[in-house]
């Protein structure tokens, strides 16, 4: 595990954006595509802004980049402002030159969810697996919507969103009474199978869970703790989020 601590989220996000662009280029030198799985939430917003800037400046082509995302609400229209589809398009994909056939954002509107989730796993494998997984972390240690209780071998599936997460989401959700309590998420196993994982956490309210994830025991109580088992995971933290690490 590598831990990098920055003065603030702006500096951390800039650094990670540069690192990701280099990583993408490195991957594309070795193989014909680079598969990236994106996170939502407040943590990656500056990262995506910085990525857009660098990609335009460096003229990095997105031709061979395949995009997946981590999670999506069940029953929320992908075009709705509350959907994670909307978030990813709005914060990143609408601003870069990428063809639709390379975009695989999760849909929360499928009739046969089990079949759909299995098809996502198959698709990721077909592309050769995830090269770069971007993550945030929930206050309760969730990654994607793998809430406490999620098992290490879990795959893409339908999950219940915890009460704690619903209360956090209510701050950003337009129409807070209507927050869904189910989602689709890539599983812990799916995330751990990614070749490189980058987790961002900013602010004091993440300090406790960051300590638990990095220094606590590995297990279902804190799903992010499973990242301790990954060979190539990097934590991008600001001073506050790192303040409880020993
Ligand atoms: C959300 C998402 C996660 C995200 C996390 C942290 O509920 N499902 O993918 O990483 O919570 O969000 P934030 O970055 O806003 O703290």
């Amino acid at each position: 595990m590598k831990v990098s601590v920055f003065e603030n989220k702006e500096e951390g996000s800039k650094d990670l954006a540069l690192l990701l662009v280099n990583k993408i280029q490195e991957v594309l030198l070795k193989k014909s595509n680079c598969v990236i799985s994106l996170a939502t939430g407040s943590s990656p917003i500056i990262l995506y802004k910085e990525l857009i800037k660098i990609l335009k400046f460096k003229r990095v082509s997105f031709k061979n980049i395949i995009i997946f995302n981590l999670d999506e609400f069940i029953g929320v229209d992908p075009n709705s402002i509350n959907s994670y589809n909307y978030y990813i398009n709005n914060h990143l994909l609408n601003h870069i030159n990428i063809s639709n056939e390379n975009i695989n954002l999760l849909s929360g509107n499928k009739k046969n969810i089990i079949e759909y989730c299995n098809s996502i796993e198959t698709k990721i494998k077909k592309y050769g697996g995830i090269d770069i997984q971007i993550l945030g972390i929930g206050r309760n240690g969730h990654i994607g919507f793998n809430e406490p209780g999620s098992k290490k071998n879990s795959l893409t599936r339908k999950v219940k969103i915890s009460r704690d997460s619903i209360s956090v989401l209510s701050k950003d959700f337009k129409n807070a009474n209507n927050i869904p309590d189910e989602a689709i998420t890539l599983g812990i196993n799916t995330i751990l199978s990614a070749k490189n994982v980058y987790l961002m956490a900013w602010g004091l309210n993440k300090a406790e869970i960051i300590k638990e994830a990095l220094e606590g025991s590995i297990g279902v109580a804190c799903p992010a703790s499973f990242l301790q088992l990954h060979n190539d995971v990097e934590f991008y933290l600001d001073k506050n989020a790192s303040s409880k690490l020993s």
Side-chain angles (χ1 to χ4, degrees):
M1 279 193 304
K2 192 176 162 197
V3 181
S4 301
V5 180
F6 297 84
E7 196 59 39
N8 50 48
K9 62 181 171 189
E10 286 76 16
E11 283 187 17
S13 303
K14 270 187 194 165
D15 194 278
L16 181 54
L18 274 172
L19 181 134
L20 289 179
V21 172
N22 288 335
K23 190 76 192 168
I24 291 170
Q25 289 173 315
E26 191 188 306
V27 171
L28 287 175
L29 281 179
K30 289 192 206 134
K31 60 189 195 76
S32 59
N33 68 14
C34 178
V35 181
I36 307 178
S37 166
L38 299 169
T40 47
S42 57
S43 306
I45 290 179
I46 304 176
L47 168 73
Y48 295 149
K49 275 202 184 116
E50 290 299 323
L51 265 180
I52 295 164
K53 272 197 229 159
I54 304 173
L55 291 171
K56 281 197 177 139
F57 181 70
K58 282 199 163 192
R59 303 207 180 152
V60 175
S61 157
F62 253 60
K63 205 170 142 230
N64 297 317
I65 296 203
I66 312 292
I67 296 289
F68 284 87
N69 70 325
L70 251 186
D71 45 14
E72 181 56 288
F73 298 106
I74 286 183
V76 171
D77 188 300
N79 298 315
S80 140
I81 195 162
N82 286 319
S83 76
Y84 285 161
N85 273 252
Y86 182 90
Y87 172 107
I88 303 267
N89 285 321
N90 187 37
H91 287 289
L92 185 64
L93 301 183
N94 289 348
H95 310 280
I96 58 181
N97 192 6
I98 181 166
S99 66
N100 279 340
E101 64 187 26
N102 290 357
I103 301 175
N104 307 279
L105 298 184
L106 291 171
S107 162
N109 268 346
K110 296 287 176 188
K111 283 214 175 84
N112 190 335
I113 296 182
I114 296 182
E115 203 173 90
Y116 176 67
C117 290
N118 293 341
S119 77
I120 296 295
E121 290 287 332
T122 309
K123 223 180 204 181
I124 291 174
K125 285 202 188 90
K126 189 194 95 188
Y127 283 119
I130 296 169
D131 294 297
I132 296 173
Q133 174 65 62
I134 313 286
L135 291 177
I137 181 170
R139 269 189 338 197
N140 61 359
H142 72 225
I143 44 177
F145 266 128
N146 292 286
E147 298 279 22
S150 299
K151 299 207 176 78
K152 182 181 160 252
N153 61 0
S154 56
L155 297 173
T156 303
R157 68 202 187 288
K158 174 171 134 174
V159 289
K160 268 244 168 281
I161 305 175
S162 69
R163 277 169 173 262
D164 184 52
S165 300
I166 290 177
S167 87
V168 174
L169 287 165
S170 65
K171 292 188 205 88
D172 299 324
F173 227 78
K174 318 285 177 277
N175 192 358
N177 295 326
N178 250 342
I179 303 175
D181 62 354
E182 288 180 328
I184 291 185
T185 183
L186 300 194
I188 301 281
N189 185 269
T190 325
I191 293 169
L192 291 179
S193 303
K195 292 173 196 87
N196 300 274
V197 179
Y198 303 94
L199 184 148
M200 279 163 285
W202 320 120
L204 255 192
N205 63 348
K206 296 284 170 76
E208 195 61 57
I209 199 65
I210 280 296
K211 182 177 173 60
E212 223 177 298
L214 274 86
E215 296 176 355
S217 52
I218 302 172
V220 299
C222 176
S225 66
F226 287 117
L227 295 171
Q228 293 178 33
L229 303 168
H230 195 283
N231 285 335
D232 267 299
V233 58
E234 286 195 48
F235 288 83
Y236 270 70
L237 311 175
D238 64 2
K239 272 188 172 168
N240 285 334
S242 71
S243 59
K244 297 218 161 123
L245 291 176
S246 44

